């Protein structure tokens, strides 16, 4: 550091050096820069300080994006038991009620729409076989186009070994089922077997 800096700048530099927190360090460095007189003798110092500020900004951004990645819902549920069965349906179909009644899952039943926002797994015993039942967050019109958590829910359905398509009988079940099937088909998840057509052609070669 050049010896001819004003005392306030020297004092601020001491504060910068003593600070570890990147945000705080960046703020102090900005203050330091405003106290440094700009001339030939301080050119090198200013350029070093600017580089340090850019590195601190990068560090702060990286920390932010790592935090954002950690905070999102966890959509991948590791398979357990004999098979993973996903409950797929619109909101308020009773998905949480079903998983709460049949498994050990700790799940909240609520009349608030779109209450379950990440998959909830639970184990269902049938004789000596255990099935993993997973409540998937609700499908809606536009799920296959990426609306809300639609693509993640559809990926969960695709990865499951079995599906329970659940509709509420109190609100137009036929419309609900066709909406579910439509979103699934758009995501290329088909629940009926494609009609296979097999043609057998026999060629007889007679060698004379
Ligand atoms: N009448 C009646 N109400 C039910 C039944 N099952 C669930 N409910 C009610 O319907 C509402 C929604 O139930 P949930 O089980 O939370 O529905 P969900 O499908 O998990 O809803 P989301 O998490 O929003 O997708 C709650 O108020 C339940 O009490 C049922 O069999 N009959
Ligand atoms: Mg629910």
């Amino acid at each position: 550091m050049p010896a001819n800096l004003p005392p306030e700048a020297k004092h601020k530099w001491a504060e910068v050096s003593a600070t570890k927190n990147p945000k705080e360090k960046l703020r102090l460095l900005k203050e330091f820069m405003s106290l440094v007189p700009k001339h030939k003798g301080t050119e090198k110092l200013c350029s070093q300080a600017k580089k340090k500020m850019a590195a601190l900004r990068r560090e702060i951004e990286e920390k932010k994006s790592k935090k954002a990645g950690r905070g999102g819902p966890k959509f991948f549920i590791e398979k357990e038991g004999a098979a993973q069965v996903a409950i797929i349906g619109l909101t308020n179909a009773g998905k949480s009620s079903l998983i709460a009644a049949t498994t050990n899952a700790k799940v909240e039943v609520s009349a608030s729409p779109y209450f379950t926002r990440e998959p909830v797994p639970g184990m269902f015993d049938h004789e000596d076989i255990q099935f993993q039942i997973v409540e998937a967050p609700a499908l809606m019109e536009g799920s296959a186009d990426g609306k809300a958590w639609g693509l993640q829910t559809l990926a969960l359905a695709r990865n499951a070994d079995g599906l329970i398509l659940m509709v509420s009988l109190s609100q137009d079940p036929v419309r609900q089922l066709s909406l579910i099937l439509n979103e699934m088909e758009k995501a290329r998840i088909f629940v009926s077997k494609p009609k296979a057509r097999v043609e057998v052609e026999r060629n007889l070669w007679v060698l004379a």
Side-chain angles (χ1 to χ4, degrees), residues 88-93 95 114 137-150 153-154 157 163-168 171-191:
I88 302 291
L90 307 192
T91 183
N92 279 352
K95 301 183 294 300
Y114 302 104
L139 276 189
M140 63 190 82
E141 204 164 351
S143 286
D145 302 314
K147 194 170 171 189
W149 46 74
T153 288
L154 288 162
L163 297 175
I164 296 172
L165 303 184
M166 190 165 188
V167 292
S168 160
Q171 334 142 15
D172 199 346
V174 176
R175 189 195 70 84
Q176 288 173 63
L177 185 61
S178 81
L179 198 156
I180 294 167
L181 292 175
N182 188 37
E183 293 302 323
M184 291 203 338
E185 272 174 28
K186 275 200 214 166
R188 307 206 57 74
I189 303 169
F190 301 101
V191 292

Side-chain angles (χ1 to χ4, degrees), residues 16-173:
V16 171
S17 308
T19 307
K20 293 265 184 296
N21 180 288
K23 266 191 190 169
E24 189 60 9
K25 210 173 179 81
L26 182 64
R27 184 183 67 77
L28 291 168
L29 256 174
K30 275 186 201 161
E31 289 178 9
F32 168 75
M33 285 293 278
S34 68
L35 297 170
V36 174
K38 308 288 178 296
H39 53 71
K40 198 88 190 134
T42 59
E43 235 173 42
K44 203 172 160 198
L45 174 74
C46 287
S47 132
Q48 280 173 348
K50 277 182 193 160
K51 272 187 197 157
K52 180 75 193 153
M53 282 162 75
L56 284 168
R57 283 198 191 98
R58 271 200 304 277
E59 192 184 334
I60 294 165
E61 278 310 306
E62 270 169 26
K63 269 193 187 159
K64 249 193 221 164
S65 58
K66 266 187 200 160
K67 253 190 199 163
R70 267 210 311 268
K74 294 165 206 69
F75 266 83
F76 177 74
I77 302 290
E78 193 141 346
K79 289 184 179 179
E80 279 179 42
Q84 184 183 73
V85 181
I87 314 173
I88 302 291
L90 307 192
T91 183
N92 279 352
K95 301 183 294 300
S96 295
S97 308
L98 177 65
I99 201 168
T102 54
T103 75
N104 57 346
K106 303 252 172 303
V107 66
E108 211 173 323
V109 171
S110 167
S112 307
Y114 302 104
F115 194 77
T116 306
R117 284 164 182 260
E118 53 186 83
V120 184
M123 295 311 287
F124 170 72
D125 293 317
H126 175 69
E127 295 172 0
D128 58 348
I129 305 173
Q130 279 208 319
F131 292 94
Q132 184 189 48
I133 314 286
V134 182
E135 177 189 358
L139 276 189
M140 63 190 82
E141 204 164 351
S143 286
D145 302 314
K147 194 170 171 189
W149 46 74
L151 295 180
Q152 291 96 318
T153 288
L154 288 162
L156 179 77
R158 185 179 294 109
N159 187 49
D161 305 304
L163 297 175
I164 296 172
L165 303 184
M166 190 165 188
V167 292
S168 160
L169 295 183
S170 56
Q171 334 142 15
D172 199 346

